[in-house]
């Protein structure tokens, strides 16, 4: 069985029939009889080209947590697509925690002051122990995580360890990993009491710009939005308007509807916006093990793991 492995990540794999291919070029004609393709960092055009020309492919493994790019490429309905869900839980959780703490401690404003050689006395010195009109600490803060999967399961205990009260939002309610989880139907009563809304939603037709003017309007004026899911899930114009009108305190954003974020975007110049360049993941931990496990399952005729299509 011929398996195409991307040159975008070093993989310690010794699989029969494995061939390394460049992700930034069309597939060579000699590779078009491949049975399997592993994708990581492939541009959209390359995936579409692969979907059109790999006539024998049976399995596509993406190492991305969200399989939207591979799903959009146009592979046939008989192709099994498996995702990299779980491979980014620790790295995205770590980055999300960094964004939340940066927002609470106003690192965005402190860096601006440093660049201007200004001692920001208003952000230092004596501070109120409790300030309910601002989000300044995770102690007793209410953090809502929309999209309560593996990343949230890793992140929630870290937030709780620093004193936050965490509520998850998912498709079904209950208790997950020791935290209460509600459905989106509860947002009208949940968000007005939130200090931070963390969005980890995947991109799909049902989630496109789901964090819209109505959702943002439910948050109190001192709250922050943190987005480490997919940029397409947030209405950026509604977000910008909420920030400029003072209806939302700030936003920490790692993903955007268009990437790289265009220079003309108004988000760049907002003092209470933290921007990172889709940096939360980018390091699929355990990628080789996931590929090997699914490869062995395919050869043996067993069900593959993390199937999305």
């Amino acid at each position: 069985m011929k398996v195409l492995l991307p040159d975008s990540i070093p993989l310690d794999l010794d699989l029969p029939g494995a061939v390394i291919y460049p992700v930034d070029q069309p597939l060579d004609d000699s590779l078009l009889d491949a049975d399997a393709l592993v994708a990581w960092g492939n541009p959209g055009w390359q995936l579409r080209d692969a979907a059109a020309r790999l006539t024998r492919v049976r399995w596509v493994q993406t190492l991305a947590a969200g399989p939207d790019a591979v799903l959009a490429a146009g592979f046939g309905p008989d192709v099994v697509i498996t995702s990299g869900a779980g491979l980014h839980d620790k790295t995205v959780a770590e980055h999300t925690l960094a964004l939340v703490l940066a927002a609470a401690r106003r690192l965005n404003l402190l860096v601006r002051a440093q660049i201007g050689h200004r001692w920001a006395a208003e952000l230092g010195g004596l501070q109120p122990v409790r300030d309910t009109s601002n989000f300044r600490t995770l102690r007793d803060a209410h953090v809502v995580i929309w999209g309560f999967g593996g990343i949230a399961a890793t992140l929630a205990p870290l937030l709780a360890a620093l004193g936050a009260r965490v509520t998850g939002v998912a498709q079904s309610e209950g208790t997950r990993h020791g935290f209460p989880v509600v459905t989106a139907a509860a947002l009208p009563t949940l968000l007005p009491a939130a200090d931070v809304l963390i969005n980890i939603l995947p991109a799909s037709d049902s989630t496109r710009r789901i964090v819209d003017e109505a959702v943002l309007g439910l948050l109190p004026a001192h709250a922050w939005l943190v987005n480490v899911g997919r940029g397409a899930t947030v209405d950026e114009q509604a977000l910008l308007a909420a920030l400029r009108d003072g209806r939302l305190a700030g936003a920490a954003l790692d993903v955007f509807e268009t990437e790289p974020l265009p220079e003309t975007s108004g988000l760049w110049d907002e003092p209470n916006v933290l921007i990172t360049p889709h940096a939360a993941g980018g390091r699929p931990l355990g990628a080789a093990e996931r590929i090997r496990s699914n490869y062995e399952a395919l050869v043996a005729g067993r069900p593959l793991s993390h199937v999305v299509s």
Side-chain angles (χ1 to χ4, degrees):
M1 185 171 74
K2 182 179 289 187
V3 182
L4 305 184
L5 301 178
D7 67 352
S8 52
I9 180 173
L11 294 167
D12 185 15
L13 279 171
D14 184 18
L15 300 179
V19 179
I20 297 176
Y21 73 96
V23 299
D24 59 350
Q25 300 176 25
L27 293 176
D28 188 84
D29 289 346
S30 64
L31 304 179
L32 298 183
D33 59 344
D35 302 277
L37 172 75
V38 177
W40 178 241
N42 306 55
W45 67 264
Q46 201 272 354
L47 288 173
R48 291 189 294 272
D49 178 73
R53 297 169 63 220
L54 288 173
T55 56
R56 289 181 47 182
V57 68
R58 294 185 286 152
W59 164 48
V60 175
Q61 169 74 62
T62 174
L63 300 182
D68 42 297
V70 168
L71 290 174
F75 289 96
D78 56 334
V79 178
V80 178
I81 296 176
T82 54
S83 80
L87 303 181
H88 303 270
D89 291 355
K90 292 181 179 179
T91 55
V92 176
E94 182 180 44
H95 193 86
T96 308
L97 181 62
L99 291 178
V100 172
L101 289 173
R105 292 304 179 133
R106 299 297 189 268
L107 293 191
N108 55 308
L109 300 180
L110 292 170
V111 169
R112 285 173 176 254
Q114 178 182 349
I115 293 173
H117 296 191
R118 185 180 72 85
W119 184 263
E122 73 279 9
L123 297 174
L126 303 181
Q127 302 290 318
V129 175
R130 298 180 65 85
D131 184 358
T132 57
S133 63
N134 284 289
F135 169 57
R136 296 299 302 273
T137 178
L138 279 173
R139 294 189 315 277
D140 301 320
H142 184 198
V143 180
V144 175
I145 304 177
W146 196 354
F148 209 87
I151 294 170
T154 303
L155 173 64
L158 303 177
L159 297 168
L162 292 173
R165 177 168 62 92
V166 179
T167 304
V169 181
Q171 292 183 341
S172 59
E173 63 182 10
T175 300
R176 299 188 189 180
H177 310 284
F179 296 92
V181 176
V182 300
T183 66
L187 290 177
T189 56
L190 182 67
L191 293 187
D195 298 294
V196 182
L197 171 60
I198 298 176
N199 174 26
I200 318 181
L201 290 170
S204 68
D205 291 341
S206 62
T207 62
R208 180 170 174 77
R209 296 183 181 174
I210 196 171
V211 183
D212 57 10
E213 182 180 8
V215 169
L216 295 170
L218 294 172
L219 291 164
H222 72 270
W224 276 66
L225 170 69
V226 178
N227 188 15
V228 292
R230 284 291 185 264
T233 63
V234 173
D235 184 333
E236 292 178 359
Q237 291 305 310
L239 172 60
L240 191 58
L243 291 166
R244 288 175 172 174
D245 294 345
R247 291 180 281 113
L248 191 69
L253 310 170
D254 183 57
V255 289
F256 303 88
E257 187 161 10
T258 300
E259 296 182 358
L261 182 65
E263 293 182 7
T264 55
S265 172
L267 293 169
W268 287 111
D269 297 319
E270 288 300 308
N272 285 325
V273 171
L274 285 160
I275 291 174
T276 56
H278 205 138
R283 312 161 188 82
L285 305 179
E289 291 81 358
R290 175 70 55 84
I291 297 167
R292 181 182 291 108
S293 175
N294 273 338
Y295 171 89
E296 293 173 351
L298 185 67
V299 170
R302 301 192 307 267
L304 280 64
S305 69
H306 301 87
V307 174
V308 294
S309 175

